[in-house]
Amino acid sequence: EAASRGAASVLLLEREPRLAASLRESATRLHAEAVQVECVDALAWLSRPPRTRFDLVFLDPPFDAGLHAAAAQAVQPWLAAQAWVYVELAKSAAFTPPQAWRLHRESATSEARHLLFRVESGAGAGTLASTNHGPGTPPA
């Protein structure tokens, strides 16, 4: 979705090889050259020192895995200043965001909650409107 709306680069992290392959096939079929798929555990990938900062992050781990809090903490060093973070979780799941995250919007379906946060502080200097930092591309 982000690539179809003009994102300069999109990085998808998927642990399951079959699902990662399916994502790659979809990106190829849709001519989404901005999309990069890595077959890797997201928490392991995020544990590395940041090489870039992200303006927009979607956190959507499997609902029953209990990984939302860990993912939110792990992504912190990767966020640009004033980044947006979208979190999708089970409707009944509890979620306490990191301190600098401010809830911007919330919605729900019969089974899921959708939370959009604005990060009030971050290590990078970019904003959603002014930068397009891709995977491996350091901010200016």
Side-chain angles (χ1 to χ4, degrees):
E1 183 67 22
S4 73
R5 294 184 182 261
S9 64
V10 177
L11 174 63
L12 304 174
L13 305 177
E14 174 54 56
R15 184 179 63 187
E16 299 297 326
R18 192 176 51 123
L19 295 175
S22 176
L23 290 168
R24 285 187 194 103
E25 290 168 10
S26 293
T28 299
R29 186 177 68 255
L30 297 171
H31 305 287
E33 289 83 19
V35 176
Q36 175 187 346
V37 179
E38 290 197 29
C39 185
V40 63
D41 179 87
L43 291 178
W45 192 93
L46 290 168
S47 71
R48 305 181 309 185
R51 294 186 317 245
T52 190
R53 305 285 182 227
F54 295 102
D55 298 310
L56 176 62
V57 172
F58 291 85
L59 291 180
D60 186 16
F63 286 179
D64 60 352
L67 297 172
H68 286 83
Q73 289 304 317
V75 79
Q76 286 282 97
W78 294 85
L79 297 175
Q82 299 190 8
W84 293 95
V85 180
Y86 171 89
V87 179
E88 188 168 300
L89 63 162
K91 192 170 185 178
S92 61
F95 178 72
T96 302
Q99 186 174 5
W101 295 19
R102 301 290 175 250
L103 185 62
H104 177 74
R105 184 172 295 149
E106 181 174 3
S107 65
T109 64
S110 61
E111 297 183 16
R113 282 192 308 148
H114 315 99
L115 309 171
L116 180 61
F117 294 94
R118 181 69 162 182
V119 178
E120 295 296 326
S121 63
T127 65
L128 188 61
S130 65
T131 61
N132 292 309
H133 303 288
T137 306

